[in-house]
Amino acid sequence: MTGRAGQSVEPGLFVTIEGGDGAGKSTQAALLEEWLVASGRTVVRTREPGGTDFGLEVREIVLHSRGHITPRAEALLYAADRAQHIATKVRPALDRGEVVIQDRYIDSSVAYQGAGRVLDGAEIRRLSEWATEDLVPDLTVLIDLDESLARERLNSAQKRFDRLEAEKNEFHRRVRESFLSIAKAEPERFVVVDGALSPAEISARIRHRLTPLLVSPAR
Ligand code: TYD
């Protein structure tokens, strides 16, 4: 993937948040939005799957379909959601100079469909790069949490598990390892935070890493 840094393709800032189910991504996305809005930025907070009307329909299929979905069909559904989302919502916001905070992006497909479903991670990434015409985040936050701890949190929230959440611990362990290895390979794009820390501490670490990107004159 080619980075956007220095190319001034879009004047906005694209931040993605990744991690396993139950890691605390939504809480952090909300805290980050609050902080950015208070500092005068216009923020679009969004998510995959389901950031558009089309995406909500795809989300329903991919998370709640009762029949079996083959791994490749599942990968294509996430990629279709992503293509629509980036073209119609995310790129326009970046073009307007806004900050996009997005819950999950390509790394989720590499981790879940690649390592989780055991498809080729490089192929999965290429599929999404094609779908998004190579849009790369300026910063990706990985909230890392032991999969058993994450499972305990989900259990205590007493929410009905979707198709992916219902996968066994071994699946979620592979997903976690995949996220960590992607982050290790691209340290300049990632900030990795320990999901066992308090929400306030996690948020402080994210802000610390984001601050220099916000004052960059290229933006
Ligand atoms: P998410 O919206 O984070 O779940 P929730 O709303 O329940 O917190 O994500 C839904 C599920 O989709 C999650 O288990 C991870 C999975 N997923 C993939 O498998 N591949 C992908 O590319 C994406 C974006 C999500």
Side-chain angles (χ1 to χ4, degrees):
M1 289 200 285
T2 49
R4 295 200 300 126
Q7 295 173 4
S8 300
V9 181
E10 289 97 8
L13 195 72
F14 185 29
V15 180
T16 58
I17 306 185
E18 299 281 9
D21 296 278
K25 293 179 286 79
S26 318
T27 305
Q28 289 307 320
L31 290 172
L32 191 56
E33 178 180 23
E34 225 172 80
W35 177 68
L36 286 164
V37 168
S39 64
R41 302 291 299 234
T42 304
V43 175
V44 172
R45 176 145 67 98
T46 187
R47 66 169 179 178
E48 290 183 359
T52 60
D53 288 343
F54 168 82
L56 284 172
E57 294 188 43
V58 176
R59 182 179 171 95
E60 191 53 34
I61 299 170
V62 83
L63 296 186
H64 304 296
S65 172
R66 278 190 224 114
H68 175 67
I69 300 178
T70 67
R72 281 170 195 265
E74 182 180 275
L76 287 164
L77 286 168
Y78 281 111
D81 164 73
R82 184 162 294 137
Q84 181 78 6
H85 185 221
I86 295 303
T88 66
K89 189 166 176 182
V90 175
R91 277 194 194 271
L94 295 172
D95 287 341
R96 294 191 300 267
E98 297 172 4
V99 181
V100 175
I101 303 173
Q102 183 169 316
D103 197 330
R104 298 195 182 281
Y105 189 46
I106 299 179
D107 303 312
S108 273
S109 282
V110 176
Y112 282 81
Q113 281 63 58
R117 299 290 187 218
V118 204
L119 293 170
D120 183 309
E123 284 181 1
I124 293 293
R125 182 171 296 284
R126 272 203 301 280
L127 177 67
S128 274
E129 285 170 353
W130 178 80
T132 64
E133 298 178 85
D134 297 313
L135 183 67
V136 182
D138 295 288
L139 180 71
T140 299
V141 176
L142 172 58
I143 306 178
D144 176 55
L145 187 65
D146 177 84
E147 66 282 356
S148 318
L149 225 86
R151 176 56 50 129
E152 276 171 32
R153 283 188 187 176
L154 290 177
N155 282 337
S156 62
Q158 292 190 326
K159 198 182 115 221
R160 262 191 68 203
F161 284 177
D162 63 42
R163 283 182 54 253
L164 281 292
E165 285 167 344
E167 282 294 337
K168 47 195 184 311
N169 260 18
E170 171 57 24
F171 175 95
H172 291 285
R173 192 189 55 75
R174 288 200 301 277
V175 167
R176 180 188 183 200
E177 278 176 9
S178 174
F179 275 132
L180 286 171
S181 86
I182 299 166
K184 201 169 170 202
E186 291 182 70
E188 66 296 337
R189 174 163 71 88
F190 272 89
V191 54
V192 182
V193 210
D194 180 356
L197 294 170
S198 72
E201 180 60 31
I202 295 174
S203 177
R205 290 183 188 201
I206 296 170
R207 292 197 303 268
H208 178 75
R209 176 65 188 267
L210 194 59
T211 299
L213 298 180
L214 289 167
V215 298
S216 154
R219 306 282 165 205

